[in-house]
Amino acid sequence: MEKKPEADFLEIRLDQFSSKEGNANKILKQIEKLNAACVLTYRQPEDSSLQSVGIWTQENVLPLINGLESEKHYIDLELDKDNSIFTNLDESRFGIIRSIHNFSGAPSREELLFYLNPVMEEVLATRKTELPFERIFKVAALPKSQAEIKSFLESCSYIASQCAKQNMPIGFCGILMGEEGQEYRIFPERIGSQFTYCCLGKPKAPGQVDLKTLLEKRSK
């Protein structure tokens, strides 16, 4: 990539990169070259529609983590996983995205509140930086029926309202995976989301929209 795309943050999916020696520094140099703000993600196999390319460890990701500029980037930590490669992360240097993924249905409102509670507690002990949000709660689901879709969209709007009520607001991103969710990827504010994910080129997740299409539709 020679030029930074028209996106606020670039997501770097570490599981889609080889973890061979030296690659962490190569990724870091490319981030610096583009002067990009990033979301650093290491997705577990069951939480992705993509097959892993590399298996990273705390040791081989360390040069990248240590080299990233403080208070500029986000780290995505799955709420229901141990996030082992980020176990010793100095969270004060980064914004944190707490994420949930479900490819077999949609969590209920009660389940989402259960997952949101620890994020609310975390943000109370977080100092304010220049990042848009210190903590972000992200949930992506692939509902099994029209009833689940309706319930999930309503739950997202409710959870977004709870995030906004905090003294230090928590960012929210709700993603309805699949073709029926494309509208809400392009216009995430319709369910209270402050941001969305899109792809460069071919979709990387069910229903994902490419950046060019998203920008075109939002400009109309």
Side-chain angles (χ1 to χ4, degrees):
M1 187 179 289
E2 295 299 321
K3 182 181 179 182
K4 180 181 174 293
E6 293 183 70
D8 297 309
F9 291 85
L10 298 183
E11 184 184 32
I12 297 176
R13 283 280 302 269
L14 281 174
D15 52 288
Q16 297 303 301
F17 286 86
S18 166
S19 54
K20 68 180 181 181
E21 186 176 354
N23 269 13
N25 281 317
K26 288 181 180 179
I27 295 170
L28 179 61
K29 288 179 181 178
Q30 183 70 359
I31 292 171
E32 293 170 345
K33 174 185 173 183
L34 296 172
N35 189 28
C38 296
V39 173
L40 193 63
T41 302
Y42 185 67
R43 194 66 67 223
Q44 307 288 345
E46 63 270 26
D47 293 320
S48 174
S49 57
L50 301 173
Q51 185 175 355
S52 295
V53 174
I55 298 176
W56 291 72
T57 65
Q58 290 183 51
E59 183 178 352
N60 58 24
V61 79
L62 204 57
L64 174 56
I65 294 294
N66 288 344
L68 288 172
E69 182 180 341
S70 294
E71 300 183 13
K72 181 176 181 178
H73 308 279
Y74 283 92
I75 306 291
D76 186 310
L77 302 178
E78 294 164 288
L79 268 166
D80 53 350
K81 300 290 187 305
D82 62 7
N83 297 292
S84 58
I85 72 167
F86 298 125
T87 297
N88 296 318
L89 178 73
D90 180 2
E91 293 189 8
S92 67
R93 293 183 52 224
F94 303 97
I96 301 296
I97 299 174
R98 296 290 188 185
S99 61
I100 296 291
H101 298 82
N102 193 330
F103 286 83
S104 59
S108 66
R109 179 179 299 189
E110 289 71 26
E111 289 176 295
L112 292 178
L113 285 171
F114 172 80
Y115 284 118
L116 177 60
N117 281 334
V119 185
M120 289 179 171
E121 293 175 2
E122 285 179 5
V123 80
L124 292 174
T126 304
R127 63 189 181 86
K128 182 67 176 172
T129 69
E130 295 301 313
L131 286 165
F133 297 97
E134 309 308 314
R135 288 290 186 278
I136 291 171
F137 181 51
K138 172 192 169 189
V139 54
L142 188 60
K144 295 179 291 187
S145 65
Q146 289 298 318
E148 271 200 5
I149 289 174
K150 183 176 183 293
S151 176
F152 179 68
L153 294 176
E154 291 173 350
S155 293
C156 283
S157 295
Y158 176 77
I159 294 296
S161 70
Q162 299 306 299
C163 289
K165 286 180 180 178
Q166 306 307 303
N167 289 333
M168 187 184 290
I170 296 169
F172 175 69
C173 180
I175 297 175
L176 173 63
M177 292 189 282
E179 298 303 313
E180 292 179 288
Q182 287 190 345
E183 171 191 353
Y184 306 102
R185 288 180 180 270
I186 297 170
F187 301 101
E189 64 274 18
R190 292 179 181 175
I191 53 172
S193 294
Q194 281 91 6
F195 68 99
T196 189
Y197 284 74
C198 54
C199 58
L200 300 175
K202 295 181 180 180
K204 308 298 191 299
Q208 199 173 55
V209 177
D210 66 90
L211 178 61
K212 183 174 182 291
T213 298
L214 182 142
L215 294 174
E216 287 176 351
K217 288 187 178 295
R218 287 193 65 90
S219 67
K220 291 180 180 180

